[in-house]
Amino acid sequence: SVCDPPSAEVLTNGIEEAEQVWKKFQGLGITHVVIKRKQYEEDNRYGLYGWPMKQRQAFEDFVVQYCQQAVEFGPDAIFRLK
């Protein structure tokens, strides 16, 4: 993560459904999400994210359901909101 606390955790605070994440991001004008996959997994494994499991699952479901991969560079990717 490049922020403390991680931006994904802050932006999804209190959210438990993927559709809620999508609506919030749309409302904020967010069009793309960058995920450094290896870093994301390590940060979660080592407890650097402090979010509840439902919040994390909502974000991960949002990426799968409401985003389309636009660019991949190594293990990292940029996703565009659908």
Side-chain angles (χ1 to χ4, degrees):
S1 172
V2 296
C3 300
D4 187 18
S7 54
E9 181 181 343
V10 172
L11 289 169
T12 59
N13 187 39
I15 293 177
E16 295 185 352
E17 298 292 332
E19 184 177 9
Q20 294 173 302
V21 177
W22 179 67
K23 287 179 179 179
K24 181 170 186 177
F25 281 32
Q26 279 192 318
L28 292 171
I30 296 172
T31 59
H32 291 76
V33 176
V34 176
I35 299 180
K36 299 175 99 180
R37 291 181 179 122
K38 184 177 178 183
Q39 186 73 45
Y40 177 79
E41 291 170 10
E42 287 178 3
D43 288 355
N44 276 292
R45 183 173 39 253
Y46 296 116
L48 298 180
Y49 281 79
W51 54 8
M53 190 59 200
K54 280 190 170 191
Q55 183 181 343
R56 175 182 174 182
Q57 192 63 55
F59 176 73
E60 292 175 359
D61 289 348
F62 153 77
V63 173
V64 171
Q65 297 171 18
Y66 294 95
C67 296
Q68 179 178 17
Q69 185 171 308
V71 179
E72 184 173 49
F73 41 101
D76 306 327
I78 298 174
F79 296 87
R80 178 179 48 249
L81 274 69
K82 293 180 184 176

